[in-house]
Amino acid sequence: MTTSKLAGLARPAKKARLFGERVSDGRTMARLVMKFGGTSVADVDCIRNVARHVKREVDAGNQVAVVVSAMAGTTNQLVAWTREASPLHDAREYDTVVSAGEQVTSGLLAIALQDMGVNARSWLGWQVPIRADAAHGAARIDHIDGSVLIERMDDHGQVAVVAGFQGVGPDNRVATFGRGGSDTTAVALAAAIGADRCDIYTDVDGVYTTDPRIVPKAGRMPRISFEEMLEMASLGAKVLQVRSVQTAMVHGVRVFVRSSFADPQSLETPGTDSPVGTLICDEEEIVEQKVVTGIAYSKDEAEISLRRVADKPGVAAAVFMPLAAANINVDMIVQNISEDGSLTDMTFTVPIVDFERAQEVLAGARETVGYQAINGSTDVAKVSIIGVGMRSHAGVAAEAFEALAGRGINIRAITTSEIKISMLIDASYTELAVRTLHSLYGLDEN
Ligand code: ASP
Ligand code: MG
């Protein structure tokens, strides 16, 4: 997304308190974007529950725009149908099909709200409009014109129910934003209408230090910085689409991840503490900072090794240029020191979905690269340690390596950045590695 264009119409995102700062008739009010995921709108009963959440905010005097996903499972079904119709289909028609789920839920929620006496209107991407680029199937938002939505909020207190995941491309056709793209709709809309906060309602009550299904002692983080959340999402945590976190960071949109299954009325009882959830915000807003904040893992990568390639200038380029040309993202790269100064092994990872294609590309480049053999494995997992505190703390990596060694876990590749360390290991050790690291850095609760 191009910052300038989105920000062009947006009022600059303000540093608001969690519960808003506008004061009207002596009451504190806020402008909110509320986003509900697929499990939260799974059927009409669920949609009615969502309507209660929205009504609660409206009754509290807030201005609200809602973004909805398709009913759980719907998008998968739509995607499957496009494949069934033709494995190599036109991406523009894919978008026409897969965007349909959000059209249904936006209309149904508007109906449910009207039924409760709340003034509400549904909006498809092209109606807002949400302008996107031409990359059908994975389009980026260029610009959102929030003026009509704001006008209706100001003049009639009308709630906008916006279909997530979709916009309109330069070709005037529907364009979708990639799986999980409703998160990005919500955050971008929050930036465009100058919302005080973007609430992401989902089936969990926040962001956890790691996957609670693996580590029952994982704890909910009250706050996490944009940068850390970006790493968590990129490295495997499935709570939010990566792009939505990038958008939030660029525009300074505070995002609050919370549960839609909590009772709509008990959430914000006056006089009680803030509701349960995780606030994704600027690092400055986080008082108590740990060295390591979270452990992420992903089984979505595959490892490829090229055996006995020449150890000379130009070889890495000969390997990675054709992969780049084929649009395959290489993540971790390890090149061994050659024993005799002439031949070496090169190991790297690619997304598991591109595993076979990558091997084909490399087979095609065998002449120019000159390797002896290709080995590959999909039985690998990437386990990552994340925390902004690592910037000012030495020895975090060494501790991790030692702890994993103590468990007999072999590390096949490593990458690091200022605030993360990722290690590639055998997939069968994923759970053990995550548990070990989680307790090593003091993240186990109690
Ligand atoms: N319905 C779309 C998907 O499943 C978008 C979303 O839910 O965020 O990917
Ligand atoms: Mg989602």
Side-chain angles (χ1 to χ4, degrees):
M1 163 176 333
T2 35
T3 316
S4 49
K5 285 198 217 158
L6 186 62
L9 260 186
R11 287 181 284 157
K14 290 168 300 305
K15 302 249 179 213
R17 283 178 299 108
L18 182 54
F19 292 109
E21 60 173 7
R22 272 166 241 268
V23 177
S24 143
D25 307 332
R27 277 197 305 180
T28 305
M29 63 175 283
R31 181 175 291 165
L32 299 176
V33 169
M34 304 172 76
K35 184 259 170 181
F36 294 88
T39 50
S40 308
V41 293
D43 57 32
V44 174
D45 267 345
C46 292
I47 289 175
R48 230 176 256 125
N49 190 55
V50 164
R52 283 186 208 107
H53 281 288
V54 175
K55 186 172 189 305
R56 180 194 67 238
E57 298 295 357
V58 172
D59 289 349
N62 298 318
Q63 294 187 334
V64 180
V66 189
V67 173
V68 284
S69 290
M71 291 179 176
T74 298
T75 310
N76 287 346
Q77 175 65 76
L78 297 172
V79 170
W81 280 336
T82 60
R83 294 209 181 113
E84 196 184 324
S86 168
L88 288 175
H89 45 258
D90 185 326
R92 287 161 293 196
E93 303 310 340
Y94 166 93
D95 278 347
T96 302
V97 176
V98 303
S99 60
E102 276 74 7
Q103 173 161 351
V104 174
T105 46
S106 61
L108 287 175
L109 180 57
I111 292 173
L113 283 166
Q114 290 169 359
D115 187 56
M116 288 176 191
V118 177
N119 184 359
R121 183 62 63 207
S122 68
W123 298 83
L124 299 180
W126 63 270
Q127 291 173 305
V128 175
I130 297 175
R131 300 215 177 273
D133 68 16
H136 283 281
R140 285 180 177 272
I141 299 175
D142 271 341
H143 179 89
I144 297 180
D145 183 349
S147 54
V148 178
L149 267 45
I150 292 173
E151 219 175 86
R152 293 194 181 200
M153 284 175 175
D154 285 345
D155 298 349
H156 313 288
Q158 190 176 76
V159 173
V161 185
V162 178
F165 184 48
Q166 54 168 279
V168 55
D171 54 1
N172 241 355
R173 306 199 67 92
V174 180
T176 63
F177 306 146
R179 298 305 306 270
S182 296
D183 292 336
T184 300
T185 302
V187 175
L189 184 65
I193 66 171
D196 297 287
R197 200 173 79 228
C198 179
D199 283 353
I200 305 269
Y201 286 81
T202 179
D203 48 8
V204 289
D205 64 359
V207 182
Y208 279 69
T209 49
T210 194
D211 186 344
R213 287 168 302 184
I214 291 186
V215 185
K217 286 179 173 172
R220 186 177 48 79
M221 308 178 206
R223 291 179 180 219
I224 181 172
S225 70
F226 291 123
E227 270 190 286
E228 288 168 318
M229 192 61 225
L230 188 57
E231 293 286 6
M232 291 284 277
S234 311
L235 295 169
K238 302 256 190 311
V239 209
L240 290 174
Q241 196 197 34
V242 175
R243 247 184 226 178
S244 71
V245 187
Q246 285 166 337
T247 306
M249 188 156 102
V250 168
H251 296 280
V253 174
R254 303 159 91 247
V255 175
F256 191 56
V257 178
R258 56 197 302 187
S259 167
S260 67
F261 295 112
D263 172 10
Q265 290 317 315
S266 73
L267 274 181
E268 275 166 13
T269 319
T272 59
D273 286 328
S274 303
V276 171
T278 297
L279 182 70
I280 305 164
C281 58
D282 211 274
E283 213 178 306
E284 291 162 24
E285 284 190 64
I286 302 172
V287 192
E288 212 183 304
Q289 192 60 257
K290 289 184 176 160
V291 176
V292 170
T293 38
I295 313 289
Y297 71 93
S298 160
K299 294 181 178 172
D300 299 336
E301 275 176 59
E303 179 193 73
I304 294 179
S305 288
L306 296 178
R307 299 283 180 223
R308 304 186 72 73
V309 295
D311 194 5
K312 62 172 194 212
V315 169
V319 172
F320 297 118
M321 291 296 284
L323 289 172
N327 238 323
I328 296 172
N329 264 321
V330 174
D331 179 23
M332 311 173 104
I333 302 175
V334 188
Q335 186 183 333
N336 294 336
I337 306 279
S338 51
E339 278 161 39
D340 52 3
S342 66
L343 294 174
T344 180
D345 291 345
M346 194 179 275
T347 299
F348 50 89
T349 62
V350 297
I352 211 161
V353 290
D354 293 329
F355 182 55
E356 267 152 39
R357 221 157 51 83
Q359 283 174 305
E360 280 162 27
V361 169
L362 291 165
R366 184 158 189 172
E367 287 285 287
T368 41
V369 181
Y371 54 86
Q372 202 180 71
I374 300 186
N375 298 142
S377 170
T378 53
D379 279 334
V380 291
K382 184 170 69 176
V383 177
S384 307
I385 305 166
I386 295 131
V388 291
M390 279 191 237
R391 278 197 209 112
S392 51
H393 233 85
V396 178
E399 279 170 16
F401 303 153
E402 190 187 26
L404 294 189
R407 299 287 188 161
I409 301 172
N410 186 34
I411 301 170
R412 308 161 70 115
I414 301 163
T415 48
T416 64
S417 80
E418 262 199 316
I419 66 162
K420 73 119 198 271
I421 302 160
S422 295
M423 293 163 288
L424 193 71
I425 60 170
D426 283 351
S428 55
Y429 286 115
T430 313
E431 283 75 15
L432 180 61
V434 169
R435 269 188 225 117
T436 303
L437 296 169
H438 196 265
S439 81
L440 176 68
Y441 296 109
L443 299 174
D444 288 352
E445 277 202 327
N446 313 311

